[in-house]
C-alpha cells in the first residue's frame, strides 16, 4: 500500500504550523506496521449515549480505558461491557486531572481521547482504520475535525475545526541539523481527514460557567487561553446572573498588568455587558470607551447598539449595529458580528418604518442562516 502524507510541524510558542516542502511517500504492508491505540475517556452519567459512542470506535482500538468521575446511573455497567479497565476517579473540579489519570492507565503506543457525545460515521470509521494502518512513525499528534459544534451554542465559534485527538503515549526526543544540532521540542502534528460528529444532548455552558466561577472565587489565576474561554462562554451561554457574578473578576482583569491587549478587550466586553444588564450607565461607557479608544470590536459595537435600542434611539442604535457587522471584527463570538447585530438592524429599521432597509438586512440574515 502506498500512502502519501504531508508532514506538519507545529510551533506552539509561535502559534504557527509549518509544513515540509516535499511530499513524502511511504510503503506499508497492510497489518504489519499498524500502530496500537488506547481509547481513553472520562465519563459521568452517560448511560444514554455511551454505548452509541463506543459502538462507533471500540473495534478500531486495541484497548479501552475509562475513568468514571461519580456516575449515579448505569454508565459503569455499560462501560464494563466493552472493557475491564474501568476506574473510579473522585471528581476534583479539574478535567485535566481526570484526563491525566486516565492517560496514565493506557498501555498502547497511541492514545485516542474521546468524549461520550462523539460519534464516528461509517465513512470516518474507515478513515480511522486507514490512519491506523498507515500512520507514519514520526507523527506524534493527529488532529481530527470536530464537527457540529454550533448546534448547542458551544464555546467554539466554528462548526468544524481541527482538534488534537490522537497522541503518541511516549515521546522520543530526536536531535536535528548536521551542525549546531538541537533537540526537536515541537511535536510533529498531522491534520487528518477524519471528522468526528459531536452530538451533545444539551449545552455544557452553564456547567462550565459554574466551574469558572468557583475557580475564580478561589483566587486561581486563569491562563490567557482560559480567560478567553470564560469570556466566550459568557457571551454564548451566560444569563444576567452569570454576568453579574463574573463582572468583578473581569474588572480586575482589565486593570491587571499581566494581561495583553486581547485579554483587556475580552475583559472590557464582559464588564460592559454586565453594566448594561445592571443599568449602570457610567460603568458601561467606562469600559466600552476603553475598547473604542484602541480598536473597536464587534462585541462592543453590538453592546452599544443594544444600549441605544433600549433607550429607543433607533438611529444611533442602527449605526452601532452596522459597525458591528461591517466595520469591526468579533473577538469572542461571531454572533456579535453577524446574526445578533443584523437582527438589531432589522428591529431598528422596523421601528423607524423604513421597509427597504428592513428588506435588505432581512435578506442578508436569511443568507447567513442558510450557511449554517
Amino acid at each position: 500500500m502506498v500512502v502519501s502524507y504531508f508532514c506538519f510541524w507545529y510551533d506552539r510558542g509561535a502559534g504557527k504550523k509549518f509544513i515540509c516542502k516535499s511530499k513524502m511517500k511511504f510503503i506499508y504492508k497492510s497489518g504489519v506496521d499498524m500502530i496500537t491505540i488506547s481509547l481513553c475517556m472520562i465519563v459521568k452519567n452517560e448511560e444514554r449515549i455511551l454505548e452509541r459512542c463506543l459502538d462507533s470506535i471500540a473495534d478500531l482500538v486495541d484497548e479501552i480505558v475509562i475513568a468514571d468521575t461519580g456516575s449515579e446511573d448505569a454508565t459503569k455497567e455499560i462501560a464494563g461491557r466493552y472493557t475491564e479497565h474501568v476506574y473510579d476517579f473522585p471528581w476534583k473540579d479539574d478535567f485535566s486531572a481526570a484526563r491525566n489519570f486516565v492517560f496514565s492507565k493506557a498501555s498502547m503506543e497511541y492514545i485516542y481521547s474521546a468524549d461520550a457525545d462523539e460519534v464516528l460515521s461509517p465513512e470516518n470509521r474507515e478513515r480511522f482504520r486507514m490512519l491506523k494502518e498507515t500512520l507514519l512513525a514520526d507523527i506524534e499528534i493527529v488532529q481530527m475535525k470536530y464537527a457540529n459544534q454550533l448546534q448547542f451554542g458551544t464555546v467554539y465559534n466554528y462548526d468544524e475545526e481541527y482538534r488534537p485527538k490522537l497522541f503518541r503515549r511516549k515521546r522520543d526526543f530526536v536531535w536535528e541539523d548536521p551542525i549546531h544540532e538541537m533537540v526537536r521540542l515541537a511535536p510533529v502534528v498531522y491534520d487528518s481527514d477524519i471528522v468526528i460528529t459531536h452530538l451533545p444532548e444539551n449545552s455544557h455552558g452553564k456547567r462550565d460557567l459554574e466551574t469558572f466561577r468557583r475557580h475564580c472565587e478561589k483566587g486561581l489565576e486563569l491562563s490567557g487561553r482560559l480567560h478567553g474561554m470564560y469570556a466566550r462562554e459568557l457571551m454564548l451561554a451566560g444569563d444576567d446572573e452569570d454576568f453579574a457574578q463574573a463582572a468583578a473578576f473581569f474588572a480586575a482583569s482589565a486593570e491587571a498588568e499581566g494581561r495583553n491587549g486581547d485579554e483587556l478587550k475580552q475583559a472590557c466586553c464582559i464588564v460592559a455587558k454586565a453594566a448594561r444588564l445592571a443599568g449602570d450607565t457610567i460603568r458601561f461607557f467606562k469600559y466600552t470607551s476603553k475598547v473604542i479608544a484602541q480598536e473597536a470590536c464587534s462585541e462592543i459595537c453590538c453592546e452599544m447598539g443594544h444600549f441605544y435600542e433600549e433607550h429607543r434611539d433607533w438611529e444611533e442604535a442602527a449605526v452601532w449595529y452596522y459597525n458591528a457587522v461591517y466595520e469591526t471584527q468579533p473577538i469572542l463570538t461571531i454572533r456579535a458580528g453577524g446574526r445578533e447585530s443584523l437582527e438589531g438592524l432589522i428591529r431598528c429599521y422596523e421601528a423607524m418604518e423604513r421597509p427597504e432597509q428592513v428588506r435588505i438586512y432581512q435578506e442578508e440574515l436569511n443568507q447567513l442562516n442558510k450557511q449554517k
Side-chain angles (χ1 to χ4, degrees):
M1 180 184 298
V2 178
V3 184
S4 299
Y5 284 106
F6 284 108
C7 184
F8 293 89
W9 301 77
Y10 190 77
D11 183 342
R12 295 198 177 277
K16 296 179 180 178
K17 184 169 60 186
F18 302 92
I19 182 171
C20 295
K21 292 183 179 179
S22 60
K23 194 171 185 181
M24 302 179 296
K25 290 189 177 180
F26 292 80
I27 298 178
Y28 286 92
K29 293 181 180 178
S30 180
V32 174
D33 294 301
M34 189 183 302
I35 63 169
T36 59
I37 300 176
S38 296
L39 168 62
C40 288
M41 303 177 66
I42 56 173
V43 296
K44 181 180 179 181
N45 295 333
E46 306 287 9
E47 65 177 3
R48 296 174 304 281
I49 56 176
L50 182 58
E51 187 174 11
R52 179 186 67 187
C53 171
L54 290 172
D55 282 346
S56 75
I57 188 66
D59 62 321
L60 300 176
V61 299
D62 304 278
E63 176 183 62
I64 299 175
V65 184
I66 296 177
D68 186 275
T69 61
S71 292
E72 299 173 343
D73 60 8
T75 296
K76 289 175 64 177
E77 289 77 1
I78 295 170
R81 299 174 198 162
Y82 295 83
T83 178
E84 60 183 16
H85 304 296
V86 180
Y87 301 91
D88 289 313
F89 182 78
W91 181 240
K92 302 176 181 179
D93 209 17
D94 188 334
F95 284 98
S96 289
R99 297 278 186 203
N100 287 333
F101 171 80
V102 75
F103 270 38
S104 74
K105 300 297 183 181
S107 62
M108 299 296 147
E109 296 172 273
Y110 284 81
I111 296 174
Y112 177 64
S113 180
D115 291 326
D117 57 8
E118 298 174 8
V119 176
L120 282 177
S121 68
E123 177 184 7
N124 287 289
R125 277 175 44 82
E126 186 58 29
R127 289 173 176 169
F128 194 102
R129 191 188 309 277
M130 288 291 294
L131 178 77
K132 185 178 180 182
E133 293 178 354
T134 60
L135 188 67
L136 304 182
D138 290 339
I139 303 297
E140 295 167 316
I141 297 175
V142 176
Q143 297 205 119
M144 302 177 187
K145 292 179 180 178
Y146 213 63
N148 200 41
Q149 296 189 134
L150 298 181
Q151 183 176 349
F152 291 95
T154 63
V155 71
Y156 299 94
N157 276 323
Y158 303 97
D159 206 41
E160 184 176 284
E161 68 173 2
Y162 272 116
R163 289 192 187 181
K165 295 294 290 182
L166 186 69
F167 309 86
R168 182 183 287 279
R169 186 171 63 87
K170 291 185 177 180
R171 186 179 179 195
D172 296 323
F173 287 94
V174 178
W175 287 89
E176 295 180 326
D177 299 328
I179 188 171
H180 298 300
E181 71 281 1
M182 64 178 295
V183 171
R184 173 172 53 79
L185 300 178
V188 181
V189 180
Y190 170 60
D191 289 349
S192 74
D193 59 355
I194 297 170
V195 180
I196 300 165
T197 303
H198 186 212
L199 296 173
E201 292 193 299
N202 47 53
S203 172
H204 294 159
K206 296 295 289 184
R207 177 203 68 185
D208 293 344
L209 286 173
E210 179 63 21
T211 302
F212 276 122
R213 185 185 63 77
R214 289 198 301 270
H215 279 290
C216 292
E217 286 180 347
K218 294 176 183 177
L220 300 178
E221 185 176 351
L222 297 185
S223 66
R225 184 181 73 89
L226 283 183
H227 186 277
M229 296 282 277
Y230 189 11
R232 190 172 297 114
E233 195 91 65
L234 281 163
M235 284 294 189
L236 290 168
D239 56 24
D240 292 18
E241 183 179 0
D242 293 320
F243 276 92
Q245 291 174 341
F249 168 80
F250 282 101
S253 181
E255 305 298 330
E257 293 183 1
R259 294 296 181 187
N260 62 32
D262 287 342
E263 291 160 4
L264 172 62
K265 281 187 178 182
Q266 294 164 3
C268 288
C269 286
I270 299 305
V271 182
K273 182 163 184 174
R276 179 179 64 81
L277 294 173
D280 189 339
T281 301
I282 293 177
R283 191 173 173 86
F284 173 77
F285 280 106
K286 174 182 177 180
Y287 285 92
T288 54
S289 297
K290 284 179 182 288
V291 178
I292 294 170
Q294 297 182 19
E295 183 180 359
C297 59
S298 296
E299 289 83 356
I300 285 294
C301 291
C302 186
E303 282 303 306
M304 293 288 283
H306 283 303
F307 176 85
Y308 284 109
E309 184 181 358
E310 289 167 0
H311 288 78
R312 305 179 68 81
D313 188 340
W314 313 116
E315 286 278 5
E316 190 67 17
V319 168
W320 286 105
Y321 284 134
Y322 182 92
N323 282 327
V325 178
Y326 301 106
E327 301 297 334
T328 55
Q329 295 295 321
I331 61 170
L332 291 171
T333 168
I334 56 176
R335 192 171 64 189
R339 185 171 292 104
E340 183 176 354
S341 293
L342 283 170
E343 289 172 348
L345 279 167
I346 291 168
R347 290 193 302 271
C348 289
Y349 283 113
E350 285 177 339
M352 291 185 283
E353 298 182 349
R354 293 164 67 174
E356 181 58 23
Q357 280 78 10
V358 172
R359 182 189 63 78
I360 291 171
Y361 294 120
Q362 185 63 61
E363 287 179 358
E364 187 153 352
L365 180 61
N366 293 342
Q367 194 64 31
L368 187 65
N369 289 332
K370 289 179 182 178
Q371 296 172 8
K372 185 176 177 181

